[in-house]
Amino acid sequence: MVNLTIDGIQLAVPEETTILEAARTIDIEIPSLCYLKGINEIGACRVCCVEIEGMDRLVTACNDTVKEGMVVRTNSPKVRRARKNNIQFILSQHDCQCTNCVRSGNCQLQKLANDLNIIDVPMLRWVEDLPWDMNFPLIRDTKKCIKCMRCIQVCDKIQDLKVWDVANTGSRTTIGVRGGRKISDVACSLCGQCITHCPTGALRERNDTEKFWDAVEDPDKIVVVQVAPAVRTALCEGLSVAPEELPVGKILDLMKRLGADYVFDTAFSADLTIMEEVSEFLHRFKMGDLREQPMFTSCCPGWVRFIKSQYPHLVKQLSSAKSPQQMFGAVMKSYFAEKLGVKPERIYTVSLMPCVAKKGEREMELYYGEYAGHDIDLVLTTREVGRLMREAHVQLRSLRDISGDTIMQEGSGAGVIFGASGGVMEAALRTAHYMLTGENPDPDTIHIVNQADPESGLLEAELTIGSIPLRAAVVSGLGNTRRLIERIERGEVRYDFVEVMACPGGCAGGGGQPIHPDGGDARARGAVLCSIDKGMKLRFSHENADVLRLYDEYLGAPMSRKAHMLLHTDHEV
Ligand code: HC1
Ligand code: SF4
């Protein structure tokens, strides 16, 4: 242990502890901006500077470690002046139009400037402004970039894609797409992790909220909304209330209040995905086609973009089942349109998703009978839903906990856990057990969802269903995924079925979720989904009465010709 004094308080901490972490153990919060524990500890912004007795120069607390006998001052006049100067220097190169910034009220720079009592905006120096494709789902505003390097580090260390790099030199130094290329020309997975780790408004999703207002105003459009599993764990965060205070039923009511005609829970189509994906898996598995093993889940569009750009030879191993988002749209524009007696073109499908890549996934077209456009017309992130709610000044206390509309009202707990890493696999294994043995397993004995190792993002399971041995793996985070795929490719491990989610922790940690200074807690959000599942009567996708009716009245059976045309896709095209 190392003994030191911080602001007159004596303490002992393990060797190699940074001054910033040591101070936190005694509840002294040293202000920081670029710091992200374990990911970005480079002292770039110098906001965490502190004074050390006996040293002339100030040191950065985020990457300087404690020394025996060290005396640290975190709040001396010299420190306060330097900290203020450092923030003023950053502000001098920053577009300070806070009033119309998407991060206003949730910007770490804004908060720090305010906390440090900075009321004079220093003279604006020249601010770099690189051009950007505003149609791309991920938007970068260089004028808001503070060169903290978090995006570079997250994309490199967590997602292993290295999309961002330092651009220009000297006073024009900024961050841009590596090699000066266009974002649409590089292998961005659209996971949005750089957005949720950006301290300012330099990165955001494309704003699609106006399209929603246009749709609900259009009398020819029938606006049909679905709410993804992970949205119900996080929308509450923007309102600073507990998840129980904003259950999915209230989100459905919110969307009706905003003008939607019909509202549904994506858990319904997650159950439908399970029916198709498990049937496909068992078919591939029984055929013993090892060329095609393991079969990979395909519901995460960040992962699908990743495998297509990084491992194109493995794309054939993706399940051909569309994601729940896409299946929902396909069913709406066929079965549901028929039930309503309207043309598919009148149905306008909106998805509320914790995800930025879903905005890219919607480009997938629906080919069925006559061409009917896209399965999904509009994708809004959890953050955009929060903005719509504020814009329409809907008060949380006025929302009622309603049910989704018929005839896609039911969603099982298995569908709900899709939103946490391991949830798709657990839901699939519940139904695979039933399909193989004719009996339901005890769902509480399959421990997969939200159970992956926090370090590696990986969970491996060997299980026997009936008399059939199965090897499954679950992984989240694209860097973790790359490590797993390389082990599979080297023949070190063998699996039958692998679930991959691009964002650490799964959709709960999605790039469209509310933003927190430390990136947010995906595992805590996942735990909310697990407890919702545990509290539900319906725990199995294959017992969803509305899904069964859909097969009965319309699709025939899982993997039928009609199911194939509507609910599956060819990822290799
Ligand atoms: Fe997801 Fe999915 S779980 S991909 O994370 O399969 O976005 O929540 O909606 O489609 O159901 C996201 C979440 C979501 C799909 C489902
Ligand atoms: Fe990298 Fe994901 Fe950001 Fe794309 S969205 S740049 S892959 S972190």
Side-chain angles (χ1 to χ4, degrees):
M1 297 293 271
V2 177
N3 299 293
L4 72 159
T5 306
I6 300 181
D7 293 347
I9 301 170
Q10 290 184 349
L11 67 157
V13 291
E15 282 179 31
E16 297 303 314
T17 305
T18 62
I19 297 168
L20 189 134
E21 291 298 333
R24 280 185 181 171
T25 65
I26 50 169
D27 292 327
I28 291 178
E29 192 61 39
I30 300 173
S32 64
L33 184 54
C34 67
Y35 174 67
L36 255 187
K37 192 170 164 53
I39 300 170
N40 200 37
E41 300 178 350
I42 57 175
C45 67
R46 299 196 64 78
V47 170
C48 64
C49 61
V50 293
E51 193 173 358
I52 310 287
E53 202 171 271
M55 279 177 82
D56 272 352
R57 68 174 184 90
L58 301 177
V59 304
T60 44
C62 75
N63 61 351
D64 263 277
T65 52
V66 295
K67 307 276 178 315
E68 184 63 31
M70 197 179 229
V71 177
V72 182
R73 284 189 204 97
T74 74
N75 195 28
S76 66
K78 188 175 175 183
V79 166
R80 274 204 307 279
R81 268 196 302 276
R83 205 169 270 155
K84 222 163 168 165
N85 280 344
N86 292 340
I87 290 287
Q88 283 182 313
F89 179 74
I90 292 169
L91 289 172
S92 76
Q93 293 183 314
H94 180 77
D95 171 355
C96 291
Q97 291 203 24
C98 292
T99 49
N100 55 353
C101 178
V102 78
R103 290 291 295 275
S104 189
N106 184 22
C107 166
Q108 285 171 257
L109 177 62
Q110 187 186 49
K111 180 173 187 313
L112 266 175
N114 220 268
D115 286 354
L116 298 184
N117 200 13
I118 294 172
I119 51 175
D120 297 318
V121 176
M123 194 173 335
L124 267 190
R125 288 145 59 108
W126 180 78
V127 181
E128 182 73 68
D129 187 9
L130 297 180
W132 195 262
D133 172 4
M134 300 307 279
N135 290 317
F136 197 69
L138 178 139
I139 304 290
R140 180 173 186 87
D141 182 350
T142 322
K143 302 191 298 306
K144 304 241 156 138
C145 175
I146 57 166
K147 283 90 98 179
C148 68
M149 313 285 167
R150 282 185 178 196
C151 57
I152 296 183
Q153 303 272 27
V154 166
C155 192
D156 179 0
K157 288 188 184 158
I158 306 289
Q159 300 301 61
D160 201 6
L161 277 168
K162 302 178 181 60
V163 166
W164 306 113
D165 199 3
V166 176
N168 302 342
T169 52
S171 64
R172 293 190 54 181
T173 301
T174 188
I175 312 299
V177 176
R178 185 173 292 268
R181 296 165 73 188
K182 276 175 65 182
I183 184 79
S184 48
D185 292 341
V186 297
C188 168
S189 70
L190 277 177
C191 68
Q193 289 302 306
C194 51
I195 300 176
T196 51
H197 290 83
C198 176
T200 71
L203 287 163
R204 62 177 171 86
E205 70 278 75
R206 184 185 62 217
N207 175 17
D208 288 328
T209 53
E210 280 307 315
K211 294 177 194 151
F212 178 79
W213 295 129
D214 290 346
V216 294
E217 269 173 36
D218 184 341
D220 288 333
K221 287 198 169 81
I222 299 166
V223 177
V224 174
V225 173
Q226 62 170 314
V227 183
V231 174
R232 72 205 62 187
T233 69
L235 186 58
C236 57
E237 293 167 11
L239 300 162
S240 303
V241 295
E244 309 82 74
E245 294 185 51
L246 192 46
V248 68
K250 289 195 178 181
I251 304 175
L252 296 173
D253 191 36
L254 167 67
M255 296 319 291
K256 283 234 161 135
R257 295 270 298 276
L258 299 182
D261 296 298
Y262 296 94
V263 291
F264 300 98
D265 187 342
T266 308
F268 162 82
S269 50
D271 286 334
L272 186 59
T273 298
I274 286 298
M275 297 301 281
E276 295 295 325
E277 194 162 11
V278 172
S279 303
E280 179 190 2
F281 169 67
L282 293 179
H283 175 74
R284 286 196 195 197
F285 185 71
K286 284 179 188 158
M287 298 287 287
D289 188 347
L290 292 178
R291 272 183 312 113
E292 305 225 331
Q293 281 176 0
M295 186 176 99
F296 293 107
T297 57
S298 60
C299 53
C300 167
W303 151 238
V304 171
R305 288 173 73 92
F306 179 81
I307 194 172
K308 283 185 174 179
S309 71
Q310 308 298 302
Y311 301 96
H313 60 287
L314 297 179
V315 168
K316 63 178 184 303
Q317 290 177 223
L318 285 172
S319 161
S320 66
K322 287 183 185 174
S323 71
Q325 154 163 297
Q326 298 299 120
M327 284 198 185
F328 173 87
V331 169
M332 287 295 144
K333 293 194 176 184
S334 54
Y335 178 63
F336 191 63
E338 270 183 45
K339 285 275 180 191
L340 292 183
V342 300
K343 289 194 171 146
E345 299 87 285
R346 288 198 56 204
I347 305 271
Y348 188 85
T349 44
V350 180
S351 322
L352 313 188
M353 293 282 146
C355 175
V356 179
K358 289 279 173 195
K359 285 182 189 271
E361 188 187 38
R362 75 155 283 280
E363 303 299 325
M364 193 184 280
E365 277 167 353
L366 167 66
Y367 285 101
Y368 181 70
E370 250 177 78
Y371 172 67
H374 300 280
D375 291 334
I376 296 298
D377 295 300
L378 181 65
V379 178
L380 299 171
T381 62
T382 310
R383 294 189 292 270
E384 286 175 291
V385 180
R387 280 175 220 142
L388 285 176
M389 184 174 174
R390 289 202 300 275
E391 188 178 353
H393 52 90
V394 175
Q395 301 303 305
L396 173 62
R397 61 181 178 275
S398 73
L399 294 176
R400 295 164 308 138
D401 190 355
I402 63 168
S403 300
D405 285 299
T406 54
I407 46 180
M408 270 67 117
Q409 197 172 57
E410 285 220 57
S412 72
V416 170
I417 55 173
F418 260 58
S421 172
V424 180
M425 182 62 73
E426 184 163 328
L429 291 175
R430 289 181 194 177
T431 289
H433 190 285
Y434 176 78
M435 287 185 178
L436 285 168
T437 68
E439 284 173 13
N440 283 338
D442 177 351
D444 293 322
T445 59
I446 310 175
H447 293 295
I448 295 206
V449 58
N450 222 25
Q451 296 297 317
D453 174 62
E455 286 295 308
S456 65
L458 178 68
L459 181 137
E460 298 166 281
E462 287 199 16
L463 38 127
T464 309
I465 300 182
S467 58
I468 300 174
L470 265 182
R471 288 155 307 184
V474 163
V475 70
S476 68
L478 292 173
N480 295 331
T481 300
R482 194 190 291 285
R483 283 183 280 279
L484 181 69
I485 291 186
E486 313 248 295
R487 283 172 63 213
I488 294 173
E489 298 251 86
R490 287 196 298 266
E492 291 168 12
V493 284
R494 276 189 55 205
Y495 306 108
D496 303 303
F497 196 5
V498 178
E499 177 204 296
V500 185
M501 290 288 174
C503 295
C507 300
Q513 297 281 54
I515 298 174
H516 299 273
D518 60 358
D521 189 345
R523 198 167 273 254
R525 291 174 184 154
V528 172
L529 297 180
C530 293
S531 72
I532 294 174
D533 166 48
K534 280 202 167 55
M536 289 179 79
K537 267 208 207 105
L538 179 62
R539 309 279 302 272
F540 298 98
S541 300
H542 55 269
E543 290 185 347
N544 181 324
D546 290 336
V547 167
L548 296 177
R549 186 190 324 104
L550 173 65
Y551 280 114
D552 200 34
E553 291 185 359
Y554 197 67
L555 296 170
M559 307 278 284
S560 67
R561 191 167 169 276
K562 203 163 184 176
H564 253 286
M565 292 190 70
L566 278 171
L567 309 180
H568 290 252
T569 187
D570 184 353
H571 293 291
E572 291 184 84
V573 176

